[in-house]
Amino acid sequence: MKMNELQMNEEEPKNLLSHKTNCYPDSEEISRFPRLLYRIHEKPPFYLSIMLGFQHYLTMFGSTMGMPLILAPIVCFDNDPVVIVSVMSTTFFCSGIVTLLQTSIGCRLPIVQGGTYTFVASIMAIMASKGDCPSKMNANFNMTSNMTNTDPEWKLRMREVQGAIIVASFLQIFIGLSGIIGYVLKYIGPLTIAPTICLVALPLYSTAGYYAGSQWFVAMLTMFCIILFSQVLKKYSLPLCKTRIHIFELFPVLFAMIVGWILSYILTATGLLKKDSPARTDYRSNVFAHTEWFRVPYPGQWGAPSISAAAVFGMLSGVLASMVESIGDYYACARMSDAPPPPNHAINRGLLVEGIGCVITGIWGTGNGTTSYSENIGAIGITRVASVTVIQCGAVIMILLSVIGKFGAIFASIPHPVIGGMFIIMFGMVFAFGISSLQFVDLNSMRNLCVLGCSFYFGMALPSWVKVHGHSINIGVEWLNQVIRVLLMTNMAVGGLTGFVLDNLLPGTSQERGIIKWQNNLMPDGHPVTISSIHVYDPPFLTMKFMTSKVCKYIPFLPYYGDQNLLEQDEGL
């Protein structure tokens, strides 16, 4: 690297500090780092932000739409499409609100919040004690009915799930406020992060395979188009608004989805797909007919949440697993966005906001909590756009379109193989970025290879066994059994903890473990790996003067920069 480039990297904090006054590095400086088209603090043009935000909306649509479908038979509303769509729109509505909170005052990474699958096992355990669902729903169901003795079974179950989520989420809020997790993070290095991030995405192969397997030809065409647009056609631009836009590079997921959707429509129209195939574009046509044009989700729409101790303790396992998953996603998102590893205060604040988000989803009644979405992190790697503004535009789109029921019903008809093809690419990108953390580590060291091998393999083997033989775990307290089972079924929790323990117990130098380069954001050649400043994590409502005061030192979710002289050096004053 040339000397002037090194000097520019040293002065970068000054430039990035100026994002608070909307002064950005010039285009010549950005062009020297072709990794990203838009960095965290940069704002694409308004029209691009909306289109890129809509692309993120479509990326998370499959997982978010799938949550109500998974919960429907558990909470007993699987034979009422109106309820399914209403819960779905509520989930999108709350996801948009929590995403805005997370990107504004939370960890401040370009990360999307949505329903979490880690809560499903807890909900299944809670509902198992209620017995089977009634064979028939209440025919006189009224969406605005008050809480009465004639409420359908699904409402009673939903309210118990809501109460359990609300109360259990205060554990996550406490952990974020207290900064407990920050004391552990200083012992975390690449050998912990790599298996944690990889095991966020790796176990999701079954989900991607489920969607793609409904029609592999459509799924592979979608995959091919994403790769074609993002890797081959990215250099081609089109004129738009007096400038030229690399449209294929910016919107590969959106264009690939359109191509896959058109092919599914052709196969549907020609009768080449079976009538009950989820690859058909009319697979959920009845949903559109039963959906209201406009409906605004509101707190307590299913009635006042009910609270039981057994349900709350059972939900704790889902909350703990969700926190572990989110921490791994924070590191993955930072890595994907060319940002420094998230500092303690950003992680504490992110967990705090997610806890608040789970309370919000409990009050509104999504039947689920909220967590960060790995597929949208993968979208950053594909589009090379890490702008927080884009994610916030996507969050606003989630809120607005959740109110327009018919619009959501249209996108509920996205064919399964199209979703599956997108998932394979997105999850693959997350996995690859997890592997890239190992560039800091000495991979010729048998000690490091031992840590990696055990972390990955044990992180897959133990959860697989627990899913089949979980009943064997019995320490005499049922709610604690449930907590242990859910945590041991979470691949990234097992693999990440294994890597953490082995990396800190086995003898090895900091250089061998990659700790020095990791903590200082250096490449293997000693040059900076990121061009973003640590200040991208600063809350927007704080001044630099306040962040140097000792008050911040004792508040775990606020940044503290200590010595004023160091700050002046950082600002180049």
Side-chain angles (χ1 to χ4, degrees):
M1 184 177 290
K2 297 179 181 179
M3 183 60 66
N4 61 344
E5 293 179 0
L6 286 174
Q7 291 173 349
M8 182 194 65
N9 283 332
E10 293 172 357
E11 295 175 356
E12 186 63 23
K14 175 182 175 182
N15 291 328
L16 287 180
L17 281 174
S18 65
H19 79 272
K20 296 180 181 296
T21 56
N22 294 324
C23 297
Y24 303 104
D26 56 36
S27 58
E28 181 181 355
E29 179 181 340
I30 294 174
S31 66
R32 299 181 186 180
F33 295 91
R35 183 183 176 89
L36 290 176
L37 298 176
Y38 292 97
R39 292 185 278 171
I40 287 180
H41 66 284
E42 295 173 337
K43 298 179 181 179
F46 180 70
Y47 59 91
L48 275 183
S49 296
I50 293 177
M51 295 178 68
L52 289 166
F54 184 69
Q55 185 171 241
H56 273 284
Y57 167 79
L58 294 176
T59 300
M60 58 91 69
F61 196 95
S63 294
T64 307
M65 179 184 66
M67 289 308 309
L69 298 176
I70 293 173
L71 293 173
I74 303 172
V75 189
C76 301
F77 56 84
D78 54 316
N79 59 347
D80 195 322
V82 176
V83 178
I84 293 176
V85 174
S86 298
V87 174
M88 192 180 298
S89 65
T90 302
T91 302
F92 277 105
F93 186 83
C94 293
S95 295
I97 293 175
V98 182
T99 299
L100 287 176
L101 290 174
Q102 188 67 276
T103 54
S104 300
I105 63 175
C107 66
R108 305 207 71 213
L109 286 167
I111 201 164
V112 172
Q113 302 291 132
T116 170
Y117 287 88
T118 59
F119 279 43
V120 173
S122 298
I123 295 172
M124 291 178 65
I126 294 170
M127 293 296 101
S129 62
K130 302 294 179 183
D132 295 332
C133 294
S135 57
K136 190 178 281 189
M137 290 281 289
N138 189 337
N140 298 319
F141 165 73
N142 183 357
M143 291 293 295
T144 60
S145 63
N146 296 321
M147 184 171 141
T148 67
N149 292 331
T150 60
D151 279 338
E153 176 67 18
W154 75 267
K155 276 195 172 185
L156 301 176
R157 296 188 178 217
M158 178 68 85
R159 289 199 286 262
E160 184 166 357
V161 171
Q162 288 179 250
I165 291 173
I166 292 172
V167 177
S169 297
F170 279 97
L171 172 64
Q172 187 167 355
I173 293 174
F174 170 76
I175 290 176
L177 287 172
S178 64
I180 293 174
I181 200 71
Y183 295 107
V184 180
L185 292 177
K186 60 184 177 181
Y187 299 104
I188 290 179
L191 290 173
T192 301
I193 293 302
T196 301
I197 294 177
C198 291
L199 290 173
V200 168
L202 191 58
L204 296 175
Y205 73 88
S206 58
T207 302
Y210 165 76
Y211 281 102
S214 57
Q215 225 302 321
W216 276 107
F217 179 72
V218 176
M220 288 191 288
L221 176 65
T222 304
M223 294 167 55
F224 172 78
C225 289
I226 293 177
I227 296 172
L228 176 68
F229 296 146
S230 64
Q231 304 300 322
V232 180
L233 301 181
K234 62 181 181 180
K235 61 182 179 180
Y236 297 102
S237 61
L238 296 176
L240 183 64
C241 296
K242 298 182 180 180
T243 186
R244 297 192 69 86
I245 302 297
H246 290 80
I247 194 165
F248 296 110
E249 187 173 27
L250 289 171
F251 305 104
V253 178
L254 180 60
F255 289 161
M257 187 206 70
I258 292 173
V259 172
W261 206 337
I262 291 174
L263 178 59
S264 291
Y265 176 78
I266 294 173
L267 295 177
T268 301
T270 55
L272 295 177
L273 295 174
K274 296 180 180 179
K275 291 185 178 180
D276 59 346
S277 172
R280 294 177 63 94
T281 53
D282 59 358
Y283 180 65
R284 294 193 181 92
S285 59
N286 63 324
V287 174
F288 185 86
H290 291 88
T291 303
E292 300 174 86
W293 274 102
F294 296 98
R295 180 179 181 275
V296 180
Y298 57 92
Q301 56 188 331
W302 319 130
S306 59
I307 299 173
S308 68
V312 170
F313 283 120
M315 193 62 68
L316 287 176
S317 55
V319 171
L320 292 172
S322 177
M323 283 195 302
V324 175
E325 180 181 1
S326 293
I327 292 172
D329 282 340
Y330 296 162
Y331 278 96
C333 187
R335 183 100 181 104
M336 198 83 74
S337 305
D338 277 353
N344 293 352
H345 69 84
I347 292 180
N348 291 334
R349 211 165 50 249
L351 295 178
L352 170 62
V353 168
E354 283 199 19
I356 295 173
C358 288
V359 173
I360 291 174
T361 60
I363 294 174
W364 256 262
T366 66
N368 200 264
T370 182
T371 192
S372 51
Y373 264 17
S374 302
E375 50 265 50
N376 290 85
I377 298 174
I380 294 174
I382 293 295
T383 63
R384 294 170 57 202
V385 175
S387 171
V388 169
T389 302
V390 167
I391 302 297
Q392 291 173 336
C393 286
V396 173
I397 290 172
M398 291 179 217
I399 295 173
L400 293 178
L401 297 187
S402 67
V403 176
I404 307 174
K406 295 293 187 183
F407 192 91
I410 291 175
F411 283 95
S413 64
I414 297 177
H416 278 201
V418 176
I419 296 174
M422 292 191 298
F423 278 4
I424 291 174
I425 299 295
M426 302 306 177
F427 295 151
M429 286 298 297
V430 175
F431 178 84
F433 269 84
I435 289 290
S436 71
S437 300
L438 298 177
Q439 64 183 298
F440 304 99
V441 176
D442 180 7
L443 291 179
N444 291 318
S445 166
M446 291 302 297
R447 179 246 185 219
N448 291 343
L449 294 178
C450 176
V451 173
L452 283 175
C454 291
S455 301
F456 274 102
Y457 213 78
F458 191 58
M460 295 295 292
L462 181 60
S464 177
W465 181 87
V466 174
K467 288 176 183 178
V468 179
H469 305 284
H471 60 277
S472 302
I473 300 174
N474 189 351
I475 61 175
V477 183
E478 184 53 37
W479 68 267
L480 190 55
N481 291 338
Q482 179 65 18
V483 171
I484 295 173
R485 288 168 191 158
V486 172
L487 288 177
L488 293 183
M489 283 192 294
T490 306
N491 300 80
M492 62 173 297
V494 176
L497 181 61
T498 303
F500 174 80
V501 172
L502 293 178
D503 189 33
N504 285 279
L505 288 183
L506 296 180
T509 65
S510 296
Q511 183 175 2
E512 181 184 13
R513 297 166 58 196
I515 296 294
I516 296 176
K517 292 177 181 178
W518 168 260
Q519 293 180 346
N520 291 281
N521 309 311
L522 301 178
M523 292 285 283
D525 59 4
H527 293 150
V529 69
T530 61
I531 58 172
S532 292
S533 166
I534 194 68
H535 296 288
V536 297
Y537 295 104
D538 294 347
F541 50 81
L542 299 182
T543 64
M544 285 295 166
K545 183 177 181 179
F546 179 74
M547 288 185 286
T548 60
S549 66
K550 288 190 177 180
V551 174
C552 294
K553 184 177 182 180
Y554 302 102
I555 303 178
F557 52 87
L558 293 182
Y560 173 65
Y561 295 111
D563 192 346
Q564 178 69 28
N565 293 329
L566 293 177
L567 178 64
E568 290 177 354
Q569 291 175 15
D570 189 42
E571 292 180 332
L573 298 177

